[in-house]
Amino acid sequence: MAHDVAIIGSGFAGSLLAMIARRQGRSVILLEKGAHPRFAIGESSTPLSNLLLEDLSLRYDLPGILPLTKWGAWQRAFPDLDCGLKRGFTFYHHRFGHRAATSANREDQLLVAASPHDGIADTHWLRADVDHHFVREAQKIGVEYLVRVELDEAVEQNDEVRLHAKRQGRELQITARFVVDASGPRGFLHRALGLPEIPLPDFPPTQGLYTHFRGVERLENLFRRNGAQPPYPIDDAAVHHVFDGGWIWVLRFRSGITSAGVAMVDSLAAQMRLHEGAAAWERLLERLPTVRDQFAGAAAIRPFICAPRLAFCSGAVTGRRWALLPSAAGFVDPLLSTGFPLVLLGVARLAKVMEEHWDSSEFDARLTAYSQRTCGELFATARLIGSLYAAMDNFPLFVSLSLLYFAAASFSETARRLGNPHLAGSFLLHDHPALRTQLPGLLERARVARSKPDAENLREDILRAIEPFNVAGLGRPERRNWYPVDAEDLLSAAQKVEASREEIRDLLDRSGFWARGASA
Ligand SMILES: Cc1cc2nc3c(=O)[nH]c(=O)nc-3n(C[C@H](O)[C@H](O)[C@H](O)COP(=O)(O)OP(=O)(O)OC[C@H]3O[C@@H](n4cnc5c(N)ncnc54)[C@H](O)[C@@H]3O)c2cc1C
């Protein structure tokens, strides 16, 4: 079987790149070791990931994917594909043995809205449904799709890669001019080509435990209201319960399913005996009374999955005729939902390489550049999330550090929406000239800051560093850790994204900012 492009792994990203390659006129084969529908983890989208997906859907004419980029459009187009409403990022800090504090000063919580109303909100994806949808869309436009393929060998030869597999007892020989591995961390090519694994910089070893539940209580039913209205319903979000050494995520789906799990450093995982699965989950909740209450009536609907090592980084990302998607090249942590934007940035970059350099002598050099950017972004993500782990016992510091993420993400989204993507070329703006020199020092200080004055000084320095990118009113003391999406923040920051107030107003109109319940 000879193809232009072979893609290994039919998660949403593999199927998406397969569709794009088809639209570019290539013959494409998509190889999956299992079959859909199947469980997959990695469920929470963000404004930036939805914008990247929207850009790709429009650029490569994928009308079956476009509605998935906003809650409202999704409900209208695909009411049968399960998803959850994500209006923002909700964080509560917990001390072992104590209930989460919900005092009026809001020192132990952080709410960052990602959208002004449900219509254009982000979503949690029930991956069994969504990945199945992506692969059906790929088949519709002529991607050849094979399930239950047991790949066992990959050999690079001159201008092609030869793959060997077994399927239904038969040998399969597939050659392709370009092979993309979308089979996830420690995936097929990493193993078949014997690529080295390298450590992520400044990131602690962590483990994970997760499953799907039914019957998880909404936090808003557990907390007593003390006056002010939060910027969005706190449960219609990616909910993070943060504690010393780790954090729990809670993502609710429309169908009543809730995805929840925990990521934690090795020392805590050993104390909790995380490898024991359900029993370890119960032990952890015993230490977190508020979360225990939230899960009091809940039942797991599938076995717990224990991940003894969450983070991963491959020592090589590309060869002459192959590339790993960012999701196969590495993974840091579910914190801040960085997986989707990283992989979508990678899909967009590989799409461009295939589109512009397929037959040119530049192909190799472009792949090398892709590899460098992929590693640079993974490393930057690791450094930021590593410093957040170091601050999980110091929530004010955790909040300050997370503003680095929210400032970079909202600035990047705005710049891209305005058609100025060059202002935000790298994920987390990690190689932006104005941040590049400051970031390492700030993150290093966060890893060692212990005293209150240290944390306060660092907050001031972080706020100064993000000022040129802060288009969301982040850090304003009167907001007391609750950040709505406020049009005036964007309007008054227009010059930071090289725009006029008029252009920002147009942008808000175009993106459906004002249209309650409807989507652009
Ligand atoms: C615990 C956890 C939570 C996460 N939460 C989030 C989140 O909330 N938000 C976010 O943005 N990111 C999150 N991520 C990251 C997210 O999972 C990935 O970014 C995303 O799944 C990447 O999608 P993908 O399609 O590239 O690969 P995957 O979803 O990993 O799909 C890989 C596909 O390849 C197939 N495959 C594997 N091996 C082979 C083989 N040998 N041959 C053929 N096929 C193969 C698999 O069956 C699967 O279908 C999380 C990750 C983890 C581990």
Side-chain angles (χ1 to χ4, degrees):
M1 300 171 86
H3 291 80
D4 292 329
V5 181
I7 295 182
I8 301 166
S10 64
F12 75 91
S15 298
L16 179 63
L17 190 61
M19 283 185 257
I20 292 172
R22 265 312 288 147
R23 287 292 197 227
Q24 292 172 347
R26 308 282 162 220
S27 59
V28 185
I29 188 161
L30 181 58
L31 305 164
E32 169 59 49
K33 77 169 177 192
H36 290 280
R38 54 92 180 95
F39 173 87
I41 197 67
E43 298 159 320
S44 193
S45 75
T46 62
L48 182 58
S49 57
N50 276 324
L51 179 59
L52 292 166
L53 189 59
E54 183 181 317
D55 284 350
L56 290 169
S57 306
L58 291 170
R59 180 171 175 80
Y60 295 104
D61 184 24
L62 304 173
I65 302 301
L66 185 63
L68 304 182
T69 59
K70 295 181 183 94
W71 164 267
W74 182 320
Q75 303 316 301
R76 288 193 295 278
F78 303 117
D80 297 333
L81 294 187
D82 197 11
C83 70
L85 176 59
K86 181 177 180 185
R87 289 286 310 279
F89 288 79
T90 297
F91 299 82
Y92 284 94
H93 190 238
H94 302 256
R95 270 166 265 276
F96 286 140
H98 298 272
R99 278 178 197 286
T102 53
S103 57
N105 66 20
R106 310 202 287 246
E107 269 176 0
D108 289 297
Q109 55 184 282
L110 172 66
L111 304 185
V112 186
S115 47
H117 59 84
D118 293 358
I120 57 169
D122 302 322
T123 44
H124 311 305
W125 300 4
L126 194 82
R127 292 285 301 274
D129 284 10
V130 177
D131 287 11
H132 198 187
H133 175 77
F134 268 79
V135 90
R136 280 188 306 236
E137 290 294 310
Q139 286 175 283
K140 268 191 212 164
I141 61 170
V143 169
E144 189 174 344
Y145 173 53
L146 294 185
V147 294
R148 302 189 210 290
V149 177
E150 296 166 45
L151 283 159
D152 52 27
E153 194 183 44
V155 181
E156 271 196 288
Q157 295 174 320
N158 302 329
D159 278 342
E160 61 183 27
V161 177
R162 191 166 44 76
L163 300 170
H164 182 266
K166 290 198 193 66
R167 186 168 185 256
Q168 294 161 344
R170 292 171 59 188
E171 308 271 320
L172 212 60
Q173 200 70 256
I174 299 153
T175 55
R177 284 185 61 193
F178 187 42
V179 173
V180 179
D181 189 327
S183 65
R186 303 176 184 86
F188 173 69
L189 278 186
H190 181 78
R191 282 178 281 116
L193 299 177
L195 306 180
E197 179 169 346
I198 58 171
L200 284 166
D202 303 322
F203 193 75
T206 53
Q207 307 184 23
L209 181 67
Y210 49 88
T211 189
H212 280 173
F213 296 84
R214 279 192 185 274
V216 177
E217 185 57 277
R218 288 178 75 88
L219 280 178
E220 63 192 10
N221 296 337
L222 299 177
F223 293 157
R224 210 172 317 118
R225 273 266 164 78
N226 51 14
Q229 187 76 11
Y232 56 85
I234 55 174
D235 297 274
D236 294 335
V239 174
H240 303 63
H241 295 295
V242 180
F243 46 86
D244 188 6
W247 68 285
I248 286 173
W249 66 88
V250 182
L251 313 174
R252 310 181 73 87
F253 293 89
R254 208 187 36 203
S255 58
I257 292 174
T258 297
S259 173
V262 62
M264 58 173 66
V265 295
D266 274 1
S267 51
L268 185 57
Q271 267 180 47
M272 289 291 145
R273 303 198 300 280
L274 206 63
H275 60 277
E276 291 180 9
W281 178 256
E282 293 304 325
R283 265 193 295 279
L284 177 64
L285 296 203
E286 277 309 307
R287 291 195 176 190
L288 301 166
T290 305
V291 191
R292 187 184 59 210
D293 290 353
Q294 189 178 15
F295 282 80
I301 57 169
R302 37 175 301 113
F304 276 85
I305 294 175
C306 186
R309 182 59 68 239
L310 272 178
F312 164 74
C313 187
S314 176
V317 176
T318 55
R320 274 205 61 231
R321 288 279 147 195
W322 59 265
L324 309 185
L325 276 190
S327 50
F331 175 65
V332 179
D333 195 85
L335 193 62
L336 302 175
S337 309
T338 58
F340 286 13
L342 284 174
V343 75
L344 288 167
L345 282 165
V347 166
R349 287 172 189 151
L350 284 181
K352 203 155 187 268
V353 175
M354 289 193 291
E355 191 170 318
E356 295 175 0
H357 303 285
W358 183 255
D359 278 320
S360 91
S361 54
E362 281 278 282
F363 194 79
D364 286 11
R366 297 294 160 164
L367 275 192
T368 305
Y370 161 83
S371 163
Q372 285 162 352
R373 296 187 86 173
T374 301
C375 292
E377 291 182 345
L378 262 173
F379 285 13
T381 305
R383 290 196 171 98
L384 176 63
I385 299 185
S387 68
L388 285 164
Y389 265 93
M392 281 177 182
D393 63 343
N394 181 343
F395 198 62
L397 182 56
F398 182 95
V399 169
S400 307
L401 284 166
S402 67
L403 297 186
L404 283 167
Y405 165 80
F406 289 113
S410 47
F411 180 87
S412 303
E413 186 201 353
T414 311
R416 282 177 172 271
R417 282 198 187 280
L418 284 163
N420 292 335
H422 62 281
L423 295 178
S426 62
F427 187 57
L428 301 174
L429 303 176
H430 76 95
D431 63 4
H432 193 287
L435 267 186
R436 193 169 47 208
T437 49
Q438 299 184 65
L439 263 181
L442 293 171
L443 297 180
E444 178 53 34
R445 279 168 62 196
R447 278 190 289 276
V448 295
R450 280 291 154 266
S451 70
K452 208 169 169 198
D454 279 354
E456 279 165 6
N457 288 338
L458 187 51
R459 179 182 175 82
E460 291 310 311
D461 291 345
I462 287 175
L463 289 179
R464 249 192 305 281
I466 64 171
E467 177 48 29
F469 313 100
N470 188 352
V471 297
L474 298 165
R476 279 171 52 183
E478 71 278 15
R479 297 241 160 116
R480 286 183 294 138
N481 287 348
W482 282 9
Y483 295 102
V485 175
D486 183 342
E488 192 45 46
D489 287 332
L490 262 186
L491 287 162
S492 57
Q495 83 291 351
K496 295 182 186 175
V497 274
E498 297 181 3
S500 63
R501 282 180 77 91
E502 263 322 295
E503 284 167 318
I504 297 285
R505 228 173 259 120
D506 282 353
L507 166 72
L508 294 173
D509 289 345
R510 262 187 284 125
S511 55
F513 190 93
W514 312 109
R516 298 235 153 237
S519 118

